[in-house]
């Protein structure tokens, strides 16, 4: 069950990429995501080969910083949506930009933050 949750961001990325119109941004996002997934898988295999044991403190730090990253990214999204709604920010929100931001807010806490915390 735990492995299922690690693949949810990848599944959502594929779903969003099929829904987006063909553009440079779509292919750029696909390339970045593919590189990030390959590096994450490579580092996980290396860490399993080294048999590094992580104590509960490291796992607690990973959970804490992943949650904090999600809170900051969601607060930023709420702030942008509020300012656009009130007319304080003169821009139109594109659904593709919002979808990519939401995907980024899934990739950072689940893939990038744990890799950084484990290295510290």
């Amino acid at each position: 069950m735990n492995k299922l949750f690690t693949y949810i961001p990848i599944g959502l990325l594929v779903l969003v990429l099929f829904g987006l119109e063909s553009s440079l941004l779509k292919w750029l996002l696909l390339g970045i995501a593919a590189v990030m997934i390959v590096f994450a898988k490579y580092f996980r295999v290396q860490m399993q080969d080294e048999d590094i044991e992580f104590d509960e403190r490291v796992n607690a730090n990973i959970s804490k910083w992943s949650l904090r990253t999600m809170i900051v990214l969601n607060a930023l999204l709420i702030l942008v949506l509020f300012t656009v709604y009130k007319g304080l920010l003169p821009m139109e929100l594109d659904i593709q930009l919002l979808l990519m931001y939401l995907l980024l807010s899934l990739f950072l806490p689940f893939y990038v933050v744990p890799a950084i915390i484990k290295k510290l």
Side-chain angles (χ1 to χ4, degrees):
M1 186 70 161
N2 192 17
K3 289 192 178 249
L4 177 68
F5 287 119
T6 60
Y7 293 111
I8 288 176
I10 297 169
L12 290 174
L13 173 72
V14 171
L15 182 69
V16 167
L17 285 177
F18 281 124
L20 292 179
E21 61 187 42
S22 183
S23 67
L24 177 65
L25 194 56
K26 175 181 176 177
W27 295 109
L28 181 67
L29 180 65
L30 181 63
I32 290 171
V35 168
M36 286 177 59
I37 291 168
V38 167
F39 278 129
K41 211 54 166 155
Y42 175 74
F43 287 127
R44 284 184 186 170
V45 168
Q46 272 191 337
M47 288 168 51
Q48 286 177 352
D49 290 342
E50 295 174 0
D51 290 325
I52 297 175
E53 291 286 327
F54 293 109
D55 60 358
E56 289 299 316
R57 187 179 46 139
V58 174
N59 289 332
N61 280 339
I62 289 172
S63 297
K64 177 177 70 173
W65 284 103
S66 294
L67 182 62
R68 286 180 180 177
T69 304
M70 287 286 284
I71 290 170
V72 168
L73 291 172
N74 286 337
L76 181 64
L77 179 62
I78 290 170
L79 181 66
V80 168
L81 290 174
F82 180 76
T83 55
V84 168
Y85 175 73
K86 289 295 184 179
L88 301 173
L89 190 63
M91 68 178 263
E92 291 206 20
L93 290 178
D94 185 20
I95 190 71
Q96 292 180 359
L97 183 64
L98 285 174
L99 285 172
M100 284 185 258
Y101 181 83
L102 289 173
L103 284 174
L104 179 69
S105 70
L106 283 176
F107 273 98
L108 284 177
F110 289 119
Y111 292 108
V112 177
V113 170
I116 292 171
I117 297 296
K118 286 180 183 178
K119 292 293 181 184
L120 296 178

